[in-house]
Amino acid sequence: MKTILGLMLTWMVCLPGLASAETQAPAGQDFSKVSDSLLRMRMTSELERKKKAEGELEFLKRELPKAQNSLNQIKTQQLDAVQLPSAISAFNQDFAKVLAVVKKGGSPSSSDYRLIEQRIGDLFTWGLIRAEDFLPRRNLRPETPALLQELYLEVDRAEDPPSWARVRPLTLLQSTIRQSYSGPPTGGRTGDDPLKAALLSAESLAAEVAPKLFEDLLKQDKAMAEGLWQALINRIQSTSTDRQHEVDAANNAIMAIDKELLGREAKKTEVDSNLTLAIYGMVFVLFAIYLATRWFSLEIQTIIFQQRTLVEMIGLAFLLLTIIILGTGQKIDPAVLGTLLGTVGGYIFGQQIQSRRNASASDSAQPPVLPEPKVALTQKQLEDMVDALKRIAQQGAGGAPPPTSDAAPAAGAAKSPPPSV
């Protein structure tokens, strides 16, 4: 009986192979050894990855037109052909007037200095484009998205616009005049007038103040701003391409995982139907074995029911069914399922081998049958046996039975006469 159960176990072990036969994964993706729970976790991760990448891609699509618009604005910047010449002429005239007074050792009035400050402001207004207004912002707000901060901070803005360094003497003169409004400057050597020193330092640049100077500065500032915005646009486009690839990769992974899960579900449905038939077949076989015991000999029936062999076989069979159902239903890890089946199989075949060993050991250890010991007869028993043998011998010869009395008649004694008639 246990041999039959062992064969049934071998047949049942082949059933998990139906559940483990999965659909092939797409090229480049191998999910055959990944459990369903891990696949669903991977699906969730890929969905989140796709959502994040799509959000950043939409943000980049909105930022790209802004950057291109800023680039177009910087390209179209031109100097004011009407206001700039008059501002240059007024500056040169007033600056030369004040410079002549200083060189003669005089001290220009505060109104003269304020007029110079105003002329410098007009030059900056009409001769420079304020390139910093067209450059990417350095100081981003804390609420600025991390991706935008990364894009803008990666743009190289280590240098200031070229016009800043070129017009620095005029900028210094302008700031010095403004500081003089609050009172006499402090510091410096005695007799050293900061206003005069700033005025003299700007003399060489003032001699170059002309439309050509500002045209050259405009070209340099525009070239720098255009380069920065073009680098930012390239960065946005490159990042957009990366995010698009990330979205495509996430979509491919989602499709592959979805296809794998659908394939497993279809295969599981097929396995469940086959498993149902196998369970019905196994129950039928067990019931047939139980009915077949009616035609077994009485000795075999006694062994089956007294040693609980049939009960053990049916119990193990349903235990195997439970393990297989839980295994195919993904309720038990495949590694644990193999361990359980191996344990049950080892128990069944181990019990059979152990019973054979016990039977062999009992046969070899049975003691030999000793003859019964002989019992000594008494004198009286021997005499009775001799008398019995004598009577048997006389009866066989047809003689009269021997006298029952112990004393025999005397020799020559007269016989009693026969009775009269």
Side-chain angles (χ1 to χ4, degrees):
M1 299 296 292
K2 291 184 178 180
T3 303
I4 296 175
L5 185 58
L7 295 176
M8 294 175 65
L9 171 64
T10 305
W11 171 59
M12 295 284 294
V13 168
C14 298
L15 292 177
L18 299 175
S20 61
E22 302 169 348
T23 56
Q24 294 182 354
Q29 303 271 354
D30 185 11
F31 298 123
S32 59
K33 296 182 180 180
V34 182
S35 63
D36 290 352
S37 60
L38 291 179
L39 279 179
R40 291 187 177 90
M41 291 176 61
R42 175 73 181 277
M43 174 72 81
T44 303
S45 176
E46 292 296 338
L47 289 173
E48 294 177 354
R49 172 190 173 194
K50 176 184 176 182
K51 181 179 179 181
K52 180 180 178 182
E54 288 179 341
E56 293 181 346
L57 185 59
E58 291 297 325
F59 179 79
L60 291 171
K61 289 181 179 179
R62 293 193 301 268
E63 286 297 318
L64 183 59
K66 296 179 182 179
Q68 291 175 341
N69 184 43
S70 297
L71 178 61
N72 294 331
Q73 286 182 1
I74 199 66
K75 287 182 177 181
T76 58
Q77 289 299 312
Q78 298 292 334
L79 297 178
D80 194 323
V82 177
Q83 298 293 337
L84 180 60
S86 60
I88 294 175
S89 177
F91 170 78
N92 289 333
Q93 181 179 355
D94 294 335
F95 186 84
K97 179 180 176 182
V98 174
L99 181 62
V101 173
V102 172
K103 285 185 175 182
K104 292 179 180 180
S107 297
S109 64
S110 60
S111 60
D112 293 335
Y113 281 119
R114 291 190 179 185
L115 183 60
I116 295 298
E117 177 198 358
Q118 181 182 353
R119 300 306 184 194
I120 294 175
D122 292 340
L123 287 178
F124 290 169
T125 301
W126 307 113
L128 301 179
I129 62 172
R130 296 185 61 85
E132 62 272 15
D133 294 340
F134 299 95
L135 296 178
R137 298 290 183 180
R138 288 184 179 180
N139 299 324
L140 299 174
R141 296 187 299 272
E143 61 272 15
T144 304
L147 179 61
L148 186 60
Q149 294 184 14
E150 178 184 355
L151 291 174
Y152 275 73
L153 292 178
E154 286 185 359
V155 177
D156 185 11
R157 275 208 57 188
E159 298 179 358
D160 294 327
S163 61
W164 290 12
R166 189 70 178 88
V167 299
R168 185 168 289 116
L170 295 179
T171 305
L172 178 61
L173 177 59
Q174 186 182 38
S175 63
T176 304
I177 295 173
R178 289 175 179 175
Q179 290 177 2
S180 66
Y181 295 164
S182 59
T186 59
R189 295 177 296 175
T190 304
D192 185 18
D193 189 352
L195 288 175
K196 293 181 180 180
L199 187 69
L200 293 174
S201 65
E203 180 183 4
S204 59
L205 177 60
E208 300 179 11
V209 172
K212 186 177 184 306
L213 172 65
F214 292 100
E215 290 176 0
D216 294 340
L217 294 178
L218 176 64
K219 291 180 181 179
Q220 296 175 13
D221 289 350
K222 288 176 63 175
M224 178 184 181
E226 290 175 6
L228 290 176
W229 280 113
Q230 189 61 52
L232 182 60
I233 291 173
N234 294 338
R235 181 65 179 172
I236 293 176
Q237 292 175 343
S238 176
T239 306
S240 299
T241 302
D242 294 340
R243 294 301 183 271
Q244 185 62 51
H245 290 165
E246 193 170 350
V247 171
D248 295 340
N251 285 330
N252 293 335
I254 291 171
M255 293 177 59
I257 295 173
D258 187 61
K259 183 177 181 180
E260 180 71 18
L261 291 176
L262 290 177
R264 291 187 182 185
E265 191 66 25
K267 182 61 68 174
K268 182 181 178 182
T269 303
E270 181 182 356
V271 170
D272 289 342
S273 60
N274 295 334
L275 184 61
T276 302
L277 296 177
I279 292 174
Y280 287 153
M282 187 172 183
V283 172
F284 175 77
V285 170
L286 293 174
F287 185 71
I289 293 175
Y290 174 75
L291 294 180
T293 57
R294 295 172 57 94
W295 287 273
F296 293 171
S297 64
L298 181 61
E299 180 181 359
I300 295 178
Q301 291 182 9
T302 302
I303 294 175
I304 290 176
F305 289 100
Q306 286 186 352
Q307 295 184 0
R308 302 177 62 85
T309 302
L310 184 61
V311 176
E312 181 180 354
M313 181 182 67
I314 295 176
L316 288 175
F318 280 100
L319 178 62
L320 288 174
L321 288 176
T322 303
I323 294 174
I324 297 301
I325 292 172
L326 293 177
T328 54
Q330 302 293 329
K331 302 298 183 182
I332 301 179
D333 188 75
V336 178
L337 177 62
T339 303
L340 289 175
L341 293 175
T343 302
V344 175
Y347 170 77
I348 295 174
F349 293 108
Q351 285 287 96
Q352 184 178 5
I353 295 174
Q354 187 63 31
S355 62
R356 292 177 180 176
R357 290 178 178 176
N358 294 338
S360 177
S362 61
D363 293 340
S364 61
Q366 185 175 3
V369 179
L370 298 177
E372 296 182 359
K374 296 182 179 181
V375 180
L377 300 177
T378 62
Q379 184 66 28
K380 178 62 176 173
Q381 292 174 342
L382 292 174
E383 291 177 355
D384 292 342
M385 291 176 64
V386 171
D387 293 339
L389 290 174
K390 288 180 178 181
R391 287 196 299 271
I392 292 172
Q394 291 175 0
Q395 291 177 0
T404 59
S405 175
D406 294 338
K415 299 181 180 178
S416 60
S420 58
V421 178

